[in-house]
Structure formats: C-alpha cells, structure tokens
Amino acid sequence: MSVKKPAIAVENLTFERNGEVLFDDFSFEIQSGSYVAIIGPNGGGKTTLVRIMLGLTKPTAGAIRIFGVPIDILLARRRIGYVPQFGGLLDANFPATADEVVSASRVQVLGSWRRFGPADAKAVASAFKSMEIERLRERTIASLSGGERQRVLLARALAAEADILVLDEPMGGLDPASREDFYASLRKLNKSGKTILFVTHDVHRIAVEADSAICLRHELVCHGSKACLVTGQAWRNIYHANKAELSEHAD
Amino acid sequence: MPAILQYDFMIRAFEAGLILAVLAPTIGIFFVVRRYSAMADTLAHVSLAGVAGGLFLGISAVWAALLACVLAILGIEKIREQRTLSSDTIVSLFLFGGLSLGVVLIGLRPAGGVNISNYLFGSVLTVTDAAVGQIAAIGVAAFAAIAAIWRSLLAVSIDEEVARAGGLPVRLLNRVLAILGAATVAISINVVGVLLIGALMVIPVLAAMQFRIGFRSTWLLSVAVSMLSVVCGLTASYYLNLASGATVVLCSIAFFVFSMLVSMASGQRVNAVAAETED
C-alpha cells in the first residue's frame, strides 16, 4: 500500500542570517488539501519561511520536499503557485492585459522553448473561469482595482497548474468587500483540492477560514491544530500581546 | 523616384535603419518594463571601448563592440552576485569605465584614418553592402532568439520572484536578454551610433506606453514609432544636411511628446465623460 506523501514536508530546518539563528532545527508537514494559516509578528520569520519553502532562499540546514520531491528539483517547484504581497513586484502600470499576465505563467508548464498551444489556451481560460473574472481578460493591469488584480494573480497561479498556493499577505490594502471575494475564491479552490498556505496578520478572519496553523516567532510556536489562533495564551506566546489588543490592529 | 532613393548609400541606410528600428524596441521593451533602461546606455558606452579597441587592434568594430559588451555583461553579473554594490552603482561603474577606456584607446591610435565620431553618432555614408548584410544576419538571429523566449522574458518581467519560484532560469534569461541588447548596440554603430542607440531602444517604447495598452500592442506600436522615426529622421537628415543618428533620435522624441499629449488629451476626455456620467 502506498503512503500518501505530504504536500509540503519541512525537515530539520535551520536558518541563520548574519550569524543570527532565525530557525533552529524544526520540522513539520502540511497535508494535501489543507488550508494553513501562517501567522506571527513582523520579523518573526513568516516571509523567510515562505521563501525557503518556495526555493527562493537556501536554508542553512534541512530540506523541503514537495509531494516527496526536493524543492531544488524543477518538478517540485512547478507544483507551487506563489501569490506575493499585495502590490508585490508587479508594477501596477506594467503594460500588459490580464490575459497576457495569466498566459505568461504557462511557461512554468511548457518550459522556455515549447510553443503555446490549444491546451495552454484552455488552461488559461479555465483559470479565468475559476476566478470568475472572464470579463477582465482584455483589461490592462493598470485599469484593474486592487481586488481584481489579486484575483488575476491567483488565476496566474492556477493557469500554471499549481497544486499548492502560497499567498504572502495578499490582501493588505484591499477593501472589505474585495477581501471577502478573495476569501470566497480561496475557499472554492481549497474545496477543489488545492493546498493553501496563507500568510497574514488578519488572525481573527483566518481563524474562520483555515483548518490548521503554523505560528512563528523565530521558532515554531505551534503547528497543526488552529487552536493557537483561537486561544488567548497562544496569542500571548506569538505576539506578546493579548487577543483584544490584536483584534484592534489586525489588517 | 524621389531623389533620396537615387543614391545607393541612402537605400542602404534605410535598409539598415529599418532592421534596427524593428530590433531596438523589441529588445528595449524588456529593458524599459524592468526599469533597466540604464543597461542600454551602459552597453552603448562599453561598446565604444570595444570599437576603439577594435580600431586599435585592426579588427572589425562590430565584433569588437559585441565582445566588449558581452565581457561587460558577465562582469556586471559577477559583481552583482557579490551583493556588495547596488545594481545602479555597478551599471554606472561600467558606463563611465567603458566611455573612459574608449576615449583613452582612441587617443592612443595614430592620427588620421577613421573618424571616431562616425561610430559615436552614426554616419549613413559608412554603411556598406557588407555592413547591411551583417546587420541583417545578426538582426534576424537576435529577433528569432527573442521570439523563442518571448513568453519566458515576459513572465520574468512581470514578476522575477514568481518566475524564479516557478522554476524559470531567470539568471540565464537575463543574460540572454543583455547579450541580445549588446548585439543590437553593436550592429547600430554605423547607422545611429553607439551613443544614440540606447535612445532608439527606449524612447519608442516610452511613446507606446503612454497609451496604456497590452504588452503585445505596446510592442507593435513601439516598432511602428521606431520605424517612422528612422524613415523621418533619415529623410530629414538627407534634405536638411543633418547628422543622421541624432535626427532619428530627435524624431523619436517628437513622437514621444506627441503620444504624451494625445494620451493626456484622451485621459482628460475620459475624465470629463466620467464626470458627466456621475452628474
């Protein structure tokens, strides 16, 4: 009987920067199809952990496996879709339509040299349909609202046929209605089997959405059950503040 | 037939100029959207050192310029990887270094022979049949290469981090783009000159970007602006006895100003319609 491999396995991760130990030998697994919140204070290591899991930053020691395959292997990288922080590197005035942005992600599947064909066009159309943003296809990025742009970026990850979606604070700057639309899209994707990792400071809201959590404060404060998102003691361990104070400052 | 086309040297200038007019913004659009416009300038200045070195050693100015640019690209990337200096500092270092080395090498040459200003600012009289053939061969090869990796370059330009996370060979693609930029600079030497080719790579793209359209449309419009600039610039330089390269660049600036004014006017019209609708 074959054992189902976890979507992401972090094994004995150690990370040092400028002689300072940020992560000291911790391990955890994320099962396929789960919806995981990654929370912690600013500077607690959330973005560093995400970058290590994406293969953008090399750990000092330890390994990352995507469905059992080391992250250094191209096959593993292609199973992850990354939606960066709101605004991210994508210049709002970049001269491209939503269709061009989403279509460009197909090179992750095709490689640099294979031609874009009917199957690719179908994958792009399907990504727009999943996000219910077909009407935005021919609009330029500059003409989209913040919420629309983030959904286009999510469609970009889907068009690349990613099984795991990693979102690093994707909703800062979005209005409440756009946030709710975005959460609804993520719920739908999670139900369709996508694994979701969501970095956020909006702890109250993500406690409703996620089914498990990774809580960081230079170390793995807790992982697994989302209890650390809902108990006051765990909040004090993570943020060194009480729950009431944090609810006022959630983004 | 217009008088301008009765001279072989003008026909050759148009042939070479139109090849460059297609290639320069095709490469330049990726420099502009990635805010690497300074790279085009740096390659141009470094190529001057190559031209001067080539003249000094008696080898082809085009190949010497290309070699100098490729060496500079590898040097820039190597220093960038050390992460001790910022990218714009490194690029400036090579820009001024290339210009200074070029001037020193020119000074070391025995007097007489080749006029260096032909290489700096272009001279249509120096465009031979062999030069047109060389420009066509390198231009077609560079265009084919950029077409083959177009979508990958677009993905990297949209968001380098996402592209890297998705497994694209970002460093290799950056180097290929820079080398294609170097090839464009090298083959432009006779037509617009090394100091002005950067402008032809950047200004038509800026003109097209004023209309806030998609990437492919921006590229097509920038090529059209570039071709019009070359045709208008060479024609004006012939009839008004002006420097060819500089006239081409001034034409492209005129198109940029025109695009900006049209874009501003249409923006005001859209705002006015929106205001009326709200009322």
Side-chain angles (χ1 to χ4, degrees):
Chain A
M1 191 178 74
S2 69
V3 179
K4 200 175 172 188
K5 293 197 167 70
I8 301 178
V10 173
E11 298 166 356
N12 305 107
L13 178 66
T14 298
F15 183 71
E16 295 177 15
R17 188 162 45 204
N18 302 326
E20 186 193 345
V21 178
L22 188 61
F23 301 140
D24 188 11
D25 192 16
F26 65 70
S27 303
F28 61 83
E29 289 182 351
I30 294 170
Q31 297 308 319
S32 178
S34 50
Y35 190 149
V36 184
I38 302 178
I39 64 162
N42 288 333
K46 301 186 297 296
T47 297
T48 304
L49 178 63
V50 163
R51 290 182 62 82
I52 290 171
M53 288 195 290
L54 290 168
L56 293 172
T57 298
K58 276 214 169 298
T60 309
I64 310 293
R65 292 179 194 281
I66 307 300
F67 293 104
V69 180
I71 189 65
D72 301 334
I73 308 292
L74 199 59
L75 201 65
R77 287 185 174 219
R78 287 182 176 167
R79 298 193 75 171
I80 304 183
Y82 175 38
V83 179
Q85 290 185 1
F86 177 74
L89 284 179
L90 176 59
D91 181 354
N93 291 316
F94 192 94
T97 60
D99 186 69
E100 286 173 323
V101 169
V102 174
S103 298
S105 73
R106 288 296 295 173
V107 289
Q108 285 177 226
V109 181
L110 291 168
S112 285
W113 302 101
R114 273 168 42 212
R115 307 282 307 166
F116 190 88
D120 304 298
K122 199 173 162 190
V124 170
S126 165
F128 274 100
K129 196 174 173 196
S130 295
M131 288 289 97
E132 296 170 3
I133 52 170
E134 291 111 313
R135 69 189 188 286
L136 305 179
R137 276 188 84 154
E138 296 310 318
R139 295 257 304 273
T140 56
I141 291 298
S143 71
L144 302 179
S145 70
E148 289 171 335
R149 202 178 313 147
Q150 288 305 91
R151 288 168 81 180
V152 167
L153 296 188
L154 203 46
R156 172 175 66 174
L158 293 180
E161 295 175 15
D163 298 305
I164 303 167
L165 301 173
V166 179
L167 303 99
D168 188 1
E169 297 183 46
M171 291 203 266
L174 295 191
D175 61 48
S178 300
R179 285 176 185 225
E180 288 311 312
D181 285 346
F182 198 77
Y183 276 125
S185 299
L186 289 179
R187 265 197 304 275
K188 194 174 145 194
L189 291 171
N190 184 233
K191 275 187 184 154
S192 73
K194 302 286 182 195
T195 306
I196 293 173
L197 272 76
F198 195 115
V199 177
T200 183
H201 285 297
D202 191 357
V203 185
H204 282 283
R205 189 67 182 81
I206 202 66
V208 179
E209 299 291 333
D211 55 39
S212 56
I214 294 169
C215 310
L216 290 170
R217 189 184 176 93
H218 298 301
E219 59 179 339
L220 196 59
V221 176
C222 63
H223 161 250
S225 148
K226 64 177 178 181
C228 58
L229 298 176
V230 290
T231 65
Q233 180 58 44
W235 283 44
R236 275 190 288 280
N237 290 342
I238 301 162
Y239 289 103
H240 290 185
N242 66 47
K243 204 171 170 181
E245 283 171 348
L246 280 164
S247 59
E248 288 170 16
H249 294 103
D251 62 4
Chain B
M1 185 187 287
I4 190 171
L5 295 179
Q6 287 172 4
Y7 294 99
D8 286 346
F9 76 92
M10 280 312 296
I11 291 171
R12 288 195 297 270
F14 277 114
E15 287 169 349
L18 288 171
I19 295 168
L20 275 177
V22 174
L23 188 61
T26 302
I27 308 283
I29 192 169
F30 291 103
F31 285 139
V32 173
V33 296
R34 302 184 66 189
R35 301 184 180 180
Y36 280 180
S37 302
M39 185 61 133
D41 255 347
T42 301
L43 291 176
H45 284 76
V46 167
S47 73
L48 179 66
V51 169
L55 292 174
F56 189 72
L57 298 170
I59 58 174
S60 155
V62 171
W63 292 111
L66 185 57
L67 179 65
C69 287
V70 170
L71 289 175
I73 289 160
L74 296 177
I76 289 168
E77 287 290 318
K78 195 74 192 164
I79 298 174
R80 197 178 269 166
E81 281 165 17
Q82 310 295 316
R83 294 175 185 271
T84 50
L85 294 172
S86 66
S87 289
D88 58 342
T89 307
I90 301 165
V91 166
S92 298
L93 194 69
F94 276 80
L95 188 152
F96 295 119
L99 182 61
S100 306
L101 183 60
V103 171
V104 166
L105 287 175
I106 289 162
L108 288 176
R109 273 179 59 246
V114 182
N115 182 357
I116 196 71
S117 72
N118 290 347
Y119 294 105
L120 290 175
F121 307 111
S123 170
V124 291
L125 290 170
T126 62
V127 181
T128 60
D129 280 332
V132 173
Q134 195 173 41
I135 288 169
I138 296 177
V140 168
F143 192 83
I146 204 107
I149 56 171
W150 181 268
R151 211 175 284 270
S152 296
L153 284 175
L154 177 58
V156 173
S157 302
I158 289 169
D159 193 326
E160 192 168 310
E161 286 272 271
V162 171
R164 190 173 278 126
L168 287 186
V170 172
R171 188 190 290 179
L172 176 66
L173 288 164
N174 284 344
R175 284 189 181 171
V176 170
L177 177 65
I179 288 168
L180 293 174
T184 309
V185 168
I187 61 174
S188 72
I189 288 170
N190 294 121
V191 186
V192 287
V194 294
L195 294 187
L196 295 172
I197 181 59
L200 205 56
M201 291 171 88
V202 170
I203 295 168
V205 178
L206 294 179
M209 282 176 70
Q210 299 305 308
F211 295 97
R212 297 174 184 275
I213 46 183
F215 192 78
R216 190 166 171 273
S217 307
T218 301
W219 166 66
L220 286 171
L221 187 56
S222 68
V223 169
V225 168
S226 177
M227 291 175 86
L228 274 172
S229 302
V230 165
V231 171
C232 296
L234 289 179
T235 306
S237 73
Y238 171 81
Y239 286 109
L240 303 173
N241 197 24
L242 303 171
S244 57
T247 312
V248 167
V249 172
L250 284 176
C251 285
S252 72
I253 290 173
F255 282 118
F256 168 72
V257 172
F258 176 74
S259 304
M260 204 166 62
L261 292 174
V262 170
S263 166
M264 283 165 67
S266 64
Q268 281 168 358
R269 205 164 48 242
V270 168
N271 289 340
V273 170
E276 272 177 30
T277 312
E278 280 176 19
D279 290 343

